[in-house]
Amino acid sequence: MVKNDWSALPVLCGVVAFGIGQGALVTLVFNVPVTAAPKELAGDVGSLRGTTQNLAAAVGTATAGALMVGLSSAGIMAQVAATPYLPPELIARLDLDSINVVSNEQLMVLMERIEVTPPQVQEAFRINAEMRLAALEIGLVVMAAIAALTILPAGRLPAYRPGDIPANPAPPTADEVRAIARACEPEEVRV
């Protein structure tokens, strides 16, 4: 059975890299636009930042879940096909088209529906536990690598320091306003 044991090196490295990557990204990408925006647009930019951050969290969570289920399903199917303890007749009775991440208790309920021997139950539990843990480890490492890659484009953000943000530009003069208005007029209206 998979335990809540975070001592495995790939999981620990994945969580650390994921945290560093996400921390760097969130700080730079979401806070720099708010501080660099003109004061009169700060509320709009802040609202847009919040919406973007929530959308990114939702899409990221859905992607992470799909990655974990996909890795677990692929691992279970490969292990079931490779084990000599589960005969082809038994595999044919299992519903491998809709594999989901299940606990050993849920797996036991599924196994009670078909006739299996105790060694086959133990093998199914072993495969289930190992593949859940492998999916977690690989998934966290993949997500950490993606999060670490976000540091590269974040390095191109402006290097503003407090007090370095330029003041708002002066309002346009009356001549500049007239020139802008003339440029926006349709051709037939111009005289």
Side-chain angles (χ1 to χ4, degrees):
M1 178 138 182
V2 176
K3 295 188 169 83
N4 192 13
D5 181 11
W6 290 92
S7 63
L9 186 60
V11 175
L12 181 62
C13 291
V15 170
V16 169
F18 185 76
I20 290 170
Q22 184 177 6
L25 176 71
V26 169
T27 301
L28 293 173
V29 173
F30 291 132
N31 291 336
V32 168
V34 174
T35 58
K39 288 184 170 84
E40 62 270 2
L41 296 177
D44 295 335
V45 172
S47 298
L48 185 57
R49 179 205 55 86
T51 301
T52 304
Q53 190 171 0
N54 290 336
L55 181 62
V59 169
T61 301
T63 302
L67 176 67
M68 299 292 185
V69 169
L71 287 169
S72 179
S73 297
I76 287 172
M77 290 186 74
Q79 288 287 321
V80 165
T83 185
Y85 297 108
L86 301 176
E89 307 83 47
L90 176 62
I91 294 172
R93 291 185 294 183
L94 296 172
D95 184 15
L96 296 178
D97 290 335
S98 62
I99 296 177
N100 206 342
V101 179
V102 296
S103 68
N104 282 345
E105 291 79 21
Q106 293 169 317
L107 181 59
M108 188 61 186
V109 171
L110 296 172
M111 298 293 279
E112 288 173 352
R113 295 181 189 163
I114 56 178
E115 295 176 20
V116 292
T117 64
Q120 291 170 337
V121 170
Q122 286 305 108
E123 182 65 5
F125 283 179
R126 183 194 66 77
I127 291 171
N128 187 42
E130 286 180 6
M131 291 305 100
R132 285 186 305 178
L133 185 58
L136 178 66
E137 289 174 344
I138 294 168
L140 285 175
V141 169
V142 167
M143 290 185 298
I146 292 169
L149 286 176
T150 61
I151 292 174
L152 299 174
R156 296 179 40 177
L157 290 172
Y160 288 130
R161 303 208 186 286
D164 288 351
I165 297 175
N168 292 338
T173 64
D175 290 335
E176 292 172 332
V177 170
R178 283 192 285 277
I180 292 170
R182 266 183 279 183
C184 295
E185 291 177 352
E187 290 289 329
E188 62 271 1
V189 175
R190 290 185 193 167
V191 180

